[in-house]
Amino acid sequence: MPDAATPPHDRSFPPTAWTLLLTARDPVTAKQAREDVCKAYWRPVCSYLQSLGLEAGHAEDLTQNILAHFCNDGWIENVDRANGRLRHFFKATARNALANHFRDAKRQKRGGESMALSLDELTNVATPQSEAADDECFDQHWAWTVFERAVNELAETYARRGKGELFTALKPALISPDDMQSYAQIGSQFGVGESQISIEVHRLRRRMAERLRAEVAGTLDPGATSAEIDAEMRYLVQALAHERRH
């Protein structure tokens, strides 16, 4: 039975890794959910650490450590359920991990031990250019990850219906409409008229909006309201738009 706290119009969303993670009581289900979350959101965390000053290789290693702890050490108990955004959780976790990494590196240097980071890298970490800019970078990568997950799941849905080639032809309508073939050209490939392709594009965009909303909802607390989901969607869309302008 759905949680009474979940708004009726949000109950149709399929459970995502994050919602399963927050609600799963079965250890096997919870472990799989943690692994799914880590696999999906590895890139935003790694890119964020690089924006804070870490060289790519060290950022990858630290990201791996963060997510390994997340998968194995029960960090989920530290999530603030009143503000249960997966985006906020990983952003704060990455900053804390980097601070600990920097502290340990300085401690090793004082003790005369070999350092994993160069002095230049330590200087960059100690004085990041702008916290706001770093956060913006994380949110842009995060938004793209959420968007790509929604696109990929939509592609799988079309493939299961035997319409994978149609999805490939129409996909630019979701990402870069200027690069899309004309409706007439696409229609000729599938033996239908322009009006039918127009209908298919409309359906695709509607399904994408539904899938994206479900994906965004899945990064929030299971009890998130429609207004909270809408607010997160608007924020991520703005982050995507900002990245495309630069």
Side-chain angles (χ1 to χ4, degrees), residues 71-121:
C71 284
N72 298 318
D73 295 347
W75 282 16
I76 191 61
E77 300 303 324
N78 296 324
V79 173
D80 180 3
R81 297 302 180 90
N83 189 20
R85 283 176 169 78
L86 182 58
R87 175 166 58 87
H88 290 174
F89 175 74
F90 270 135
K91 189 187 297 183
T93 298
R95 275 196 173 276
N96 290 338
L98 182 61
N100 292 338
H101 190 76
F102 177 49
R103 180 201 62 206
D104 292 344
K106 289 200 299 184
R107 183 179 299 159
Q108 288 178 6
K109 183 172 180 3
R110 285 198 300 269
E113 299 179 12
S114 61
M115 293 170 51
L117 298 176
S118 70
L119 290 177
D120 287 342
E121 288 169 332

Side-chain angles (χ1 to χ4, degrees), residues 1-11 23 221-225:
M1 178 179 296
D3 190 331
T6 305
H9 42 279
D10 292 336
R11 292 177 181 174
T23 60
D221 186 275
T225 65

Side-chain angles (χ1 to χ4, degrees), residues 9-39:
H9 42 279
D10 292 336
R11 292 177 181 174
S12 61
F13 291 152
T16 62
W18 184 235
T19 54
L20 284 174
L21 189 55
L22 291 176
T23 60
R25 295 197 169 112
D26 174 43
V28 175
T29 302
K31 183 176 185 297
Q32 183 60 53
R34 285 196 299 270
E35 291 175 354
D36 289 347
V37 166
C38 291
K39 181 179 179 180

Side-chain angles (χ1 to χ4, degrees), residues 163-174 179-183 185-187 189-190 197 201 204:
K163 294 187 174 184
E165 292 183 1
L166 176 63
F167 178 83
T168 299
L170 301 182
K171 182 179 176 180
L174 303 175
D179 298 329
M180 187 176 177
Q181 292 180 299
S182 70
Y183 289 1
Q185 289 174 311
I186 297 174
Q189 296 175 30
F190 295 94
I197 296 301
V201 169
L204 176 68

Side-chain angles (χ1 to χ4, degrees), residues 182-214:
S182 70
Y183 289 1
Q185 289 174 311
I186 297 174
S188 67
Q189 296 175 30
F190 295 94
V192 298
E194 292 183 51
S195 60
Q196 182 60 39
I197 296 301
S198 177
I199 292 172
E200 292 292 347
V201 169
H202 175 75
R203 288 173 178 167
L204 176 68
R205 286 172 171 160
R206 174 174 53 79
R207 289 166 181 158
M208 179 61 188
E210 293 170 352
R211 186 58 255 169
L212 183 59
R213 182 177 172 81

